[in-house]
Amino acid sequence: MPQAAASREKGESPPVGRPSKVLPPWLRLARRLGAPMRGPLAVFAQRSRTIICREGLYYFVLTAFVFAGAMLGDVNLLMLLGGMLVGPIWLSYRLVSKTLRGLQVERHLPHGVCAGDLLVVKVELANSRKRLGSWAVTVEEEIRRVGDGRRGEVLRPAAFFSYVPARQTRQRTYRGRIPRRGRYQFAVPTVSTRFPFGLLRRTIRIGNPDVLVVYPRLGQLTQHWMTRHREWFEGAHRREHRYGRVSGDFYGVRPWRTGDSLRHIHWRSSARHGSLVVRQFEQHRNRDLAVLLNVWQPANPTPADQENVELAVSFAATVVADVCRRGGSTLYVSSGPKAGEEIRGPASALLMQSVMEQLAEVEAFTEDLLPGLLRRAMSAVEPGTEIVLVTTRAIDLAAAQRLATVEAGAQRRPSPPRIRVVNTAETNLNDYFELGD
């Protein structure tokens, strides 16, 4: 304590633990000059490195024994042999560095793939050097599912290029299947080589990261589903009719207007009316559909609960895909009560892609969000829209509808819409839906 008080009186900080070592001025100056280079050198160390392979370690040990025997025994021939063994090490170090210089990697991913389907990725390796080619180059990927964290499974596919001539490009593809839906992050590719002797391995990271969206797994709707679907909504009209000037069932005639095609002129009726009239056609329009997804699971889900959630998402995605292929209707899809969890638009391939991207990232919830889901759907869809509710557990639909109507307030409707509930936890789902192997 007296020593600390004396230090404070002199304006010095009291000693803590071991006293710090005073560095010489020249060393402090060198550290200051080298501080700006620590960042770039650290980045370069992460992008490229050279390591000794297992075979190279054995080779180094053998070379060390030869040199040790030559020095202890004073044998010139062993010293000469040791010098000859050092030659391949030096040559390996030079060639592994030169082989990877001037290389460029570019990968080509599909726009999307369904879970369980075959994924084909094309990798291009370009050699921009003027003279020296690259031998035995391996391009390794690192694929990680977004949201799983560092403990998640990491996929490491690789493509091998035996030789890439100077100023040329070679292509390779690797194939695989991703069993889970979601968003997957492709890290910067790792390019490596062990050419020529396999003693040293040089790695360098070249290229750009990418993201791939894996859509839900699609199945097939059975004919029993189509029949029951028509029977369920038989109390309302199954089709809406529009009258236009394009193809459809013949409906009648009307006066000719500017822009009408001459092929649609009905000449006999025109002669009878004394003026040009054209055929009017009846266009059939499929009924609008709303698909609501209620993916609930307990706080501590079992593998069966997680599989049930994936089954519900796959069934909803299959229904959406079927409607978008047929077209001619407006589709509304919602997976939660929030504004960003719903998509609405004409059934088309573009809408199907947007819905698939949304369903790929749907996460199960533990609280009861069904009343909010129904409330937002009833205020968003038009009257007469068919509503299919896909859920992972048995629900009291009447109570949920009453609660949703009370929450809707002034937006409630005089007659609640008819909702068909599909519980994926029931065993009779196999009558409606078949999930491929």
Side-chain angles (χ1 to χ4, degrees):
M1 293 300 294
Q3 182 180 2
S7 300
R8 284 195 294 268
E9 291 178 359
K10 295 180 181 180
E12 301 176 357
S13 58
V16 179
R18 298 181 59 183
S20 59
K21 184 179 180 180
V22 180
L23 299 177
W26 64 269
L27 184 56
R28 284 182 289 180
L29 178 61
R31 287 192 174 185
R32 289 181 180 179
L33 295 177
M37 295 299 297
R38 292 177 185 175
L41 290 177
V43 173
F44 181 77
Q46 293 178 358
R47 292 185 65 251
S48 62
R49 62 174 181 171
T50 303
I51 61 175
I52 302 176
C53 302
R54 179 182 300 178
E55 296 82 357
L57 181 60
Y58 298 155
Y59 191 88
F60 270 89
V61 172
L62 176 62
T63 305
F65 271 111
V66 171
F67 271 109
M71 295 177 63
L72 294 177
D74 196 14
V75 181
N76 294 333
L77 290 179
L78 287 180
M79 185 66 67
L80 180 61
L81 178 61
M84 295 176 62
L85 292 177
V86 172
I89 299 177
W90 177 85
L91 184 61
S92 296
Y93 180 78
R94 295 288 297 174
L95 288 182
V96 294
S97 301
K98 287 183 174 294
T99 298
L100 299 184
R101 289 181 182 176
L103 296 183
Q104 298 176 357
V105 178
E106 184 177 359
R107 72 165 70 85
H108 299 275
L109 296 176
H111 294 292
V113 63
C114 293
D117 289 351
L118 184 63
L119 172 64
V120 180
V121 179
K122 182 171 68 174
V123 180
E124 292 184 356
L125 183 62
N127 186 357
S128 60
R129 294 194 302 270
K130 297 182 179 180
R131 298 178 181 178
L132 183 64
S134 297
W135 295 84
V137 179
T138 302
V139 178
E140 185 178 0
E141 298 274 24
E142 181 178 323
I143 308 173
R144 190 186 301 270
R145 188 174 184 268
V146 178
D148 286 353
R150 295 188 175 182
R151 295 184 178 181
E153 182 182 3
V154 179
L155 305 178
R156 301 184 184 276
F160 180 76
F161 296 81
S162 58
Y163 178 64
V164 182
R167 296 183 178 180
Q168 294 189 23
T169 303
R170 291 291 183 267
Q171 296 181 357
R172 294 291 185 273
T173 58
Y174 63 84
R175 303 164 182 256
R177 299 179 187 272
I178 301 180
R180 297 178 59 191
R181 60 182 174 87
R183 188 177 296 269
Y184 285 80
Q185 178 73 39
F186 284 67
V188 177
T190 301
V191 184
S192 63
T193 183
R194 297 174 59 179
F195 180 78
F197 304 117
L199 304 179
L200 303 178
R201 183 173 183 262
R202 175 80 169 179
T203 61
I204 185 171
R205 301 179 72 89
I206 309 173
N208 300 313
D210 282 316
V211 175
L212 174 67
V213 179
V214 178
Y215 301 149
R217 192 175 181 181
L218 295 180
Q220 185 176 2
L221 299 175
T222 63
Q223 187 62 34
H224 188 50
W225 161 264
M226 302 297 181
T227 304
R228 293 293 300 272
H229 187 69
R230 288 193 298 267
E231 294 175 354
W232 187 266
F233 298 102
E234 64 181 356
H237 294 288
R238 296 181 179 85
R239 289 187 179 270
E240 296 176 358
H241 301 287
R242 293 183 302 173
Y243 306 109
R245 298 177 291 178
V246 294
S247 61
D249 296 338
F250 178 73
Y251 173 69
V253 294
R254 59 169 178 81
W256 182 85
R257 301 171 188 169
T258 303
D260 289 337
S261 176
L262 297 178
R263 295 181 302 173
H264 296 158
I265 296 178
H266 197 280
W267 296 105
R268 291 185 180 180
S269 299
S270 298
R272 186 167 55 252
H273 288 79
S275 60
L276 293 178
V277 294
V278 295
R279 297 181 181 91
Q280 189 174 11
F281 297 94
E282 179 185 35
Q283 296 176 340
H284 295 292
R285 185 174 185 267
N286 293 329
R287 195 172 177 193
D288 297 341
L289 178 67
V291 179
L292 309 181
L293 185 59
N294 181 40
V295 282
W296 176 92
Q297 70 178 13
N300 298 318
T302 62
D305 295 329
Q306 297 176 353
E307 184 179 356
N308 187 27
V309 170
E310 297 301 320
L311 183 61
V313 176
S314 296
F315 179 77
T318 304
V319 173
V320 170
D322 180 71
V323 174
C324 290
R325 291 192 191 100
R326 289 188 282 111
S329 62
T330 300
L331 183 62
Y332 173 86
V333 181
S334 178
S335 57
K338 299 181 181 179
E341 299 173 337
E342 60 180 7
I343 296 178
R344 181 178 182 180
S348 60
L350 183 61
L351 180 69
M352 176 180 172
Q353 181 178 355
S354 301
V355 173
M356 290 299 174
E357 291 178 356
Q358 177 182 346
L359 295 181
E361 301 184 66
V362 168
E363 298 292 340
F365 45 83
T366 57
E367 60 272 14
D368 187 11
L369 301 180
L370 181 58
L373 180 65
L374 292 176
R375 174 184 56 81
R376 190 167 188 86
M378 287 190 293
S379 62
V381 301
E382 298 294 334
T385 301
E386 300 177 359
I387 300 179
V388 176
L389 174 60
V390 183
T391 179
T392 56
R393 61 170 178 170
I395 59 174
D396 187 358
L397 183 60
Q401 279 187 284
R402 287 194 298 269
L403 182 57
T405 305
V406 171
E407 292 179 355
Q411 296 181 354
R412 63 187 180 187
R413 301 184 178 184
S415 59
R418 299 191 63 181
I419 302 176
R420 182 178 185 183
V421 179
V422 178
N423 184 5
T424 56
E426 297 179 352
T427 57
N428 61 349
L429 182 66
N430 297 330
D431 300 337
Y432 308 139
F433 179 62
E434 295 178 355
L435 193 61
D437 297 334

